[in-house]
Amino acid sequence: MATSFLGLKKSSSSGALNAMEGDGFEYSLGPPDSGFSIFLADRTKKIHFIRHAEGYHNLATKETGSNDCLLRGDEPAAAHHLYDSRLTAKGIAQAEALRTHLASRPSGARSFTAFDLVVVSPLTRTMETALHVFGQPREPGKPAFLTHVDAPKNSPEYASGVKVAPPRFVVREECRERWGHYVCDGRRSISEIAKEFPNFDFSEMVHDEDVFYSDERESDEHCCDRAVRFLQWLNSRPEKCIAVVTHSSFLRHLFGQFGETLKADDRDNLQRLAGNCELRSVVLCSHGVKDGQKVDPLMPPVANPSTVRMGSIYMQPIA
């Protein structure tokens, strides 16, 4: 029987999302043909996927009614004004609205949603979104017990003087947008971006320059493969409540691989195109088959080696 990383059995029975400890519904009971699934709690974690807020590239395509405004034309992609596009004023407002929502969204034993880790795509719009949604991250290398901030205002915890540790922000190339062709999906160098976002953890980035972007669009197959590799990396993390700030096409390629046996409404809700700054929460379940396997860093495709064989040329030594 084939299985997926999200714990959805690819059989006649539909999968069900397991819960996390502290939410009051830790168990899903029933035989395999009941339409339920049951998982060990320590093999699950909550993943909250967030599409970036509105960027200027989104606004441009809405105003022109076409993606043609995202093509580089005769100029280098990096010279285009929509390259690695930033958030609009509306996008910033969307991110701040989500922050307000999370501040009053109960999770576990708290009146607000607190995250152990925020994983961010290395594009500017996702990092801006993360900052406006979650505030300043915890400094890389600094333990949680040395960094405390107030709980969200107007919460019972804030009134009681409760302090919380802000999450770390880890930047990962795997969750960036499907690259190529459109200028908005290229990124600036990490050395430039890091100056603007100093407390983001870039230590797991391998390439300074964007070695992935080209005029050719990344294939659907490759984007799907790296999306599953990204799940494998998430599964290897010790944190249990993780936010991922990413992109619509990446999410479409990720979620499109899951949910075949779900009820139609649930499947459509999982796989539909995400709106700007939309939060979509899932439970990631590991079946153990890939636990402990090393997840290699994302590398650019390797060109096919040349098959041309050149004969050796003997040079007469000069006397």
Side-chain angles (χ1 to χ4, degrees):
M1 178 185 296
T3 55
S4 75
F5 274 75
L6 286 178
L8 305 177
K9 296 184 177 181
K10 296 181 183 296
S11 68
S12 58
S13 62
S14 64
L17 294 181
N18 190 35
M20 295 296 294
E21 183 178 355
D23 279 348
F25 48 96
E26 285 86 352
Y27 306 100
S28 299
L29 303 177
D33 60 352
S34 69
F36 294 90
S37 297
I38 182 170
F39 306 119
L40 296 172
D42 62 0
R43 287 197 179 276
T44 63
K45 58 185 67 184
K46 283 184 177 177
I47 310 295
H48 303 268
F49 288 97
I50 300 170
R51 184 192 173 190
H52 64 80
E54 183 189 72
Y56 280 102
H57 65 300
N58 299 130
L59 180 61
T61 58
K62 289 176 185 176
E63 291 179 341
T64 63
S66 168
N67 287 337
D68 289 349
C69 60
L70 304 178
L71 301 177
R72 70 178 181 87
D74 295 330
E75 63 180 346
H80 197 285
H81 70 286
L82 293 174
Y83 185 80
D84 195 9
S85 187
R86 293 180 175 273
L87 297 186
T88 63
K90 179 180 178 180
I92 293 173
Q94 290 172 337
E96 292 175 346
L98 179 56
R99 180 173 186 169
T100 300
H101 169 69
L102 292 173
S104 60
R105 181 179 188 259
S107 178
R110 291 172 168 169
S111 67
F112 58 93
T113 304
F115 296 89
D116 304 320
L117 177 71
V118 176
V119 186
V120 191
S121 153
L123 275 66
T124 300
R125 58 187 179 271
T126 44
M127 291 191 280
E128 287 182 325
T129 300
L131 268 182
H132 287 287
V133 172
F134 302 105
Q136 284 293 333
R138 186 164 82 245
E139 184 179 336
K142 199 168 187 178
F145 59 80
L146 292 181
T147 308
H148 288 96
V149 296
D150 291 333
K153 291 183 178 180
N154 302 320
S155 68
E157 291 86 353
Y158 179 83
S160 301
V162 171
K163 301 289 186 178
V164 295
R168 290 176 56 216
F169 288 9
V170 174
V171 183
R172 292 288 297 192
E173 197 93 68
E174 288 88 346
C175 64
R176 65 179 289 176
E177 183 58 299
R178 185 185 179 195
W179 60 66
H181 193 59
Y182 299 122
V183 296
C184 56
D185 297 331
R187 67 161 173 83
R188 294 178 290 158
S189 67
I190 298 302
S191 56
E192 179 182 353
I193 295 172
K195 295 176 183 177
E196 185 175 346
F197 303 94
N199 283 338
F200 285 58
D201 187 349
F202 294 94
S203 63
E204 299 190 22
M205 295 293 291
V206 177
H207 309 282
D208 183 23
E209 300 295 334
D210 190 352
V211 298
F212 299 96
Y213 183 85
S214 72
D215 287 339
E216 297 296 322
R217 194 68 166 156
E218 180 187 14
S219 70
D220 290 308
E221 293 78 12
H222 190 275
C223 192
C224 286
D225 287 345
R226 71 173 167 94
V228 173
R229 282 162 50 99
F230 180 63
L231 290 186
Q232 187 178 350
W233 178 82
L234 286 175
N235 179 61
S236 71
R237 298 292 309 185
E239 297 87 0
K240 286 292 188 179
C241 186
I242 302 173
V244 178
V245 187
T246 182
H247 307 263
S248 62
S249 187
F250 175 81
L251 289 174
R252 183 171 63 86
H253 284 78
L254 171 60
F255 291 141
Q257 300 179 72
F258 300 92
E260 296 91 340
T261 60
L262 289 177
K263 186 176 66 173
D265 289 347
D266 290 347
R267 181 178 63 250
D268 292 344
N269 193 40
L270 175 69
Q271 296 181 348
R272 64 180 169 76
L273 184 68
N276 284 125
C277 216
E278 179 182 338
L279 170 70
R280 193 169 302 176
S281 301
V282 302
V283 174
L284 176 65
C285 173
S286 166
H287 290 257
V289 295
K290 292 193 174 183
D291 287 2
Q293 293 186 12
K294 181 182 178 182
V295 182
D296 293 325
L298 187 65
M299 302 297 288
V302 178
N304 293 327
S306 172
T307 58
V308 177
R309 300 300 179 190
M310 299 296 293
S312 298
I313 300 177
Y314 174 75
M315 299 295 294
Q316 181 71 30
I318 299 177

